[in-house]
Amino acid sequence: MKRKFFAAAAAMLLLPMLSSCMKGMPEEKKKIAVITKSTTSTFWHNVEKGVNAAATEHNIDVTFEGPESEEDYITQNMMIRRAAENGADAIVLSAIDYKKSADAVSKAHDSGIKIVIMDSAVDSTKINAVVGTDNSDAGKTAAMAAVSSFKDDEKKYIGIVNIDKNSYNVRRREQGFREYIQAVPNAEIVDTVNVSSNTGSATTGAVTMLRNHPEINIIVGFNEWTTLGVGYAVRQMELSGKVRAIGFDTNVVSIAMLETGEMDALVVQNPFSMGYIGVESAAKLISGKSTSENIVTETRVITKDNMFDESSQKLLFPFE
């Protein structure tokens, strides 16, 4: 009986000490998996910088990965499943394929993981928040820039260079572009090519289209790679000043093309903000806090005339 009494007394004395030790132990960090279409372009590099900034501020562990190709939805779906298996509390996703990633996303959500869509959507209702450009509006903005130098009575023959039709964000941009062009006098979309999301494929597609349709006087790309393809095609065929070239996003090459005239306007998104707000939204969700279900990040049309304005420079060179 004495032994039992002393054991119980010792346990009672140790409880406050154990409680104090537990309070002093750091809580395990929450885990967020950021899964993008790719990790190789300037756009995704800037997204990653935003992701890392938010992770530091909110004391979150993040992983950042994407397939080598922006068409490889199979690898991306594998990454979604692996994130769930590895205990992610939230997934921030830019979906390659609107339809074919829906099942992987829904299953991850059903397992208790918060889902934040960034940049490009997926066909699932099991989404907690969406962060990114209003792509339909951005497409209309590109259309306005495309025809801005033409008079109403001038013929406008348009060529479109875009990537896979199953990528939701660029599909919405093209839809917005087409909707605006329908109401423009003397404007006609004469050809559309869909290419792989890389510079070589985009350049080949743009050159072929321009050769097949010499009447084209406006050509448009809808992401970073197709924009470079459009610019290189204009350079290769010596059409600067003859064909108005419009694109999306930026890197050092496309910015230089604004100065030299291969590109006439760039619709520039804010990838740093997408990455930052995507992780911030996920951090709030897994902490039980509320966040907006739809957050729209800014876009701006940048031309040779305004590229050195302070507001333009902040988007073109956000870390200089």
Side-chain angles (χ1 to χ4, degrees):
M1 289 293 292
K2 287 182 179 180
R3 287 178 184 173
K4 289 182 181 179
F5 172 79
F6 284 120
M12 292 296 291
L13 289 170
L14 284 171
L15 276 174
M17 296 173 63
L18 289 170
S19 178
S20 177
C21 289
M22 291 294 287
K23 287 179 182 178
M25 290 176 64
E27 291 184 18
E28 186 176 352
K29 288 184 178 181
K30 298 295 185 180
K31 299 176 183 177
I32 298 175
V34 181
I35 302 171
T36 61
K37 290 183 175 182
S38 160
T39 59
T40 58
S41 71
T42 299
F43 180 88
W44 295 119
H45 292 164
N46 288 336
V47 167
E48 184 175 14
K49 290 172 182 176
V51 163
N52 290 336
T56 299
E57 183 168 332
H58 293 277
N59 195 31
I60 295 285
D61 276 340
V62 298
T63 57
F64 185 91
E65 62 180 345
E68 290 185 11
S69 164
E70 292 196 12
E71 286 80 36
D72 188 1
Y73 69 88
I74 294 174
T75 296
Q76 190 181 60
N77 287 346
M78 179 191 70
M79 291 173 174
I80 295 168
R81 291 191 293 269
R82 186 170 62 204
E85 291 166 0
N86 289 342
D89 298 290
I91 292 174
V92 179
L93 173 72
S94 178
I96 287 175
D97 193 293
Y98 180 68
K99 293 287 186 183
K100 292 175 182 174
S101 291
D103 184 60
V105 166
S106 295
K107 286 180 178 177
H109 183 276
D110 288 345
S111 70
I113 297 172
K114 302 297 184 183
I115 305 293
V116 176
I117 294 298
M118 172 186 65
D119 173 59
S120 191
V122 65
D123 187 21
S124 172
T125 59
K126 297 178 179 182
I127 304 298
N128 298 101
V130 177
V131 177
T133 299
D134 181 331
N135 286 296
S136 177
D137 186 65
K140 292 173 184 176
T141 298
M144 285 187 274
V147 301
S148 63
S149 64
F150 291 82
K151 297 177 182 178
D152 284 352
D153 60 352
E154 288 184 280
K155 294 287 188 180
K156 307 160 192 73
Y157 298 108
I158 302 168
I160 288 175
V161 183
N162 208 346
I163 60 168
D164 195 319
K165 295 178 181 179
N166 294 319
S167 183
Y168 186 79
N169 58 343
V170 293
R171 188 176 80 192
R172 291 289 292 155
R173 289 171 201 168
E174 185 176 328
Q175 287 174 348
F177 183 92
R178 288 178 178 275
E179 287 170 8
Y180 185 90
I181 291 299
Q182 284 177 355
V184 175
N186 294 304
E188 177 188 355
I189 297 172
V190 298
D191 196 12
T192 301
V193 295
N194 289 98
V195 298
S196 297
S197 196
N198 62 72
T199 306
S201 177
T203 303
T204 299
V207 167
T208 301
M209 184 170 63
L210 288 169
R211 284 177 177 162
N212 290 340
H213 298 279
E215 74 275 21
I216 286 175
N217 53 12
I218 299 171
I219 187 168
V220 186
F222 286 92
N223 75 342
E224 183 174 339
W225 303 119
T226 54
T227 295
L228 289 175
V230 163
Y232 282 128
V234 169
R235 177 183 295 177
Q236 183 177 322
M237 299 183 70
E238 298 181 348
L239 293 173
S240 178
K242 301 173 185 176
V243 173
R244 184 166 175 79
I246 311 298
F248 271 75
D249 303 328
T250 66
N251 56 43
V252 292
V253 177
S254 59
I255 293 168
M257 285 176 171
L258 276 181
E259 291 193 85
T260 54
E262 288 91 359
M263 296 302 303
D264 293 282
L266 298 171
V267 180
V268 178
Q269 304 179 84
N270 195 330
F272 180 91
S273 287
M274 284 188 206
Y276 184 93
I277 297 172
V279 168
E280 182 179 59
S281 298
K284 287 180 179 178
L285 287 165
I286 59 183
S287 298
K289 299 176 183 177
S290 62
T291 186
S292 175
E293 293 182 2
N294 189 20
I295 301 170
V296 178
T297 53
E298 67 178 313
T299 59
R300 179 179 173 85
V301 176
I302 297 181
T303 66
K304 188 175 182 179
D305 292 334
N306 70 2
M307 66 185 295
F308 294 108
D309 294 352
E310 184 178 354
S311 55
S312 297
Q313 290 285 297
K314 286 180 179 178
L315 286 177
L316 292 175
F317 307 106
F319 310 104
E320 296 296 325

